[in-house]
Amino acid sequence: MASVLVVEDDQFVRSALIRHLTEASHTVRSVGTALEALREVAHLRFDVVILDLGLPDLDGAEALKMLRGITDVPVIIATARDDEAEIVRLLNEGADDYLTKPFSVEHLSARIAAVLRRARAAGSAGELPYSTVLRVGGLAIDPLRRQAELDARPLDLTRREFDLLAYLAGRPGVVVPRRELLAEVWQQAYGDDQTIDVHLSWLRRKLGETAAKPRYLHTLRGVGVKLEPPQEPRP
C-alpha cells in the first residue's frame, strides 16, 4: 500500500484513478492544479505522485521542475502526449516513469510498484555504510545528505547530476559501462546514450572541466565513464 497524490484536472479521469487506486489498497489524495500539488507535497508525505501535464494553471513539465526543487518523491507522468523527445526530456528532468493515456489500471499499478521498489532500494542503500562521505581528489560527496563539494565549495547539482556523480564516486578509477549507468542511475533497461552525454556535459561544466580537457570525468569511447582524481603535473 502506498500514499499516492493524483494531479489531474479532468474530473472523470481523476475520479477513475482515485477509485481504482483505492480499490488497490492505496491511500489517495487528489488535486486539479499544479499549485495545489506543490502545497500538498510541501505539507504531506507521499510515496508517489501521478502527474498529468495538461494542467490549467501551469504546464506539468514546469510543475515537475518545481516539485524537484522541494522533494525527491517519485513522479510518474501520466498524459496523452506521446512525443518521444518530450518523454526523454522529462525523464532527464526528474520524472521517474512515463505513461501515455489511455492506459490500464493494471499497467499503472505495475509502474507504481516498480517505482516504489526502486525508491525503497535506494533508501535501504542510504542506511548502509555507503552513506559515508566519498572523496575523490578535491571532490567530497555525501550520499545521505545529498551534498557535494569541490575543493570545499558546494556544488549546485540537479538530482540526476548528483546521482550520476555519487555512483561514479563510489567506484573511483573504475570504467563504468553506459548500460550500467542507465540501469543504476536512470533505472532504465535501455535508453539513448545522449541522455548520459548531456548530464556528463553539465557535470563537467560544474566541475570546471571540458570533454577535451577532463580533470575528473573521463569518457572511454564505446566503453564507459570513469571518475578519478586529477593527475598531478610532472616536475
Side-chain angles (χ1 to χ4, degrees):
M1 184 177 70
S3 176
V4 182
L5 175 64
V6 173
V7 188
E8 169 65 63
D9 68 317
D10 186 309
Q11 190 59 49
F12 177 79
V13 175
R14 188 168 156 187
S15 297
L17 287 174
I18 293 170
R19 182 175 67 256
H20 290 303
L21 290 171
T22 302
E23 289 173 353
S25 300
H26 296 302
T27 301
V28 186
R29 289 179 67 89
S30 67
V31 295
T33 68
L35 293 180
E36 288 176 311
L38 291 168
R39 281 196 293 269
E40 288 285 308
V41 169
H43 293 96
L44 298 172
R45 181 189 174 279
F46 295 97
D47 295 310
V48 64
V49 174
I50 311 299
L51 176 65
D52 180 39
L53 294 183
L55 300 174
D57 59 335
L58 192 66
D59 186 79
E62 292 300 317
L64 174 64
K65 292 180 183 179
M66 297 176 74
L67 282 170
R68 279 292 160 255
I70 61 175
T71 180
D72 282 335
V73 62
V75 176
I76 299 176
I77 302 293
T79 180
R81 303 179 194 176
D82 59 0
D83 180 70
E84 183 177 354
E86 182 171 33
I87 293 173
V88 171
R89 178 173 62 83
L90 289 167
L91 290 171
N92 287 340
E93 290 178 353
D96 293 86
D97 209 337
Y98 196 108
L99 274 173
T100 303
K101 299 175 182 176
F103 49 80
S104 68
V105 178
E106 292 76 16
H107 193 175
L108 175 60
S109 295
R111 294 296 184 95
I112 290 175
V115 164
L116 292 177
R117 281 197 301 270
R118 294 197 296 264
R120 286 164 185 160
S124 298
E127 296 168 7
L128 298 174
Y130 176 72
S131 63
T132 57
V133 176
L134 305 171
R135 299 186 185 277
V136 181
L139 278 170
I141 299 103
D142 188 334
L144 184 61
R145 294 180 176 82
R146 297 190 65 82
Q147 296 174 349
E149 295 181 345
L150 175 60
D151 299 330
R153 294 191 300 274
L155 291 170
D156 182 16
L157 304 177
T158 66
R159 186 179 70 135
R160 200 70 76 184
E161 289 168 358
F162 181 89
D163 291 344
L164 176 58
L165 183 63
Y167 191 82
L168 291 171
R171 299 147 186 80
V174 175
V175 179
V176 181
R178 288 171 174 266
R179 182 177 297 178
E180 181 178 336
L181 291 175
L182 282 170
E184 299 298 331
V185 178
W186 278 268
Q187 287 86 46
Q188 296 180 24
Y190 60 92
D192 189 346
D193 278 2
Q194 186 178 6
T195 297
I196 297 175
D197 291 335
V198 168
H199 284 80
L200 284 173
S201 176
W202 292 339
L203 261 180
R204 284 193 174 102
R205 192 177 306 146
K206 293 177 180 181
L207 295 178
E209 63 181 64
T210 64
K213 294 183 178 180
R215 295 180 65 235
Y216 285 94
L217 292 167
H218 301 264
T219 302
L220 280 72
R221 186 178 297 276
V223 182
V225 184
K226 68 176 177 177
L227 179 77
E228 63 182 10
Q231 298 295 318
E232 294 293 335
R234 294 181 179 180

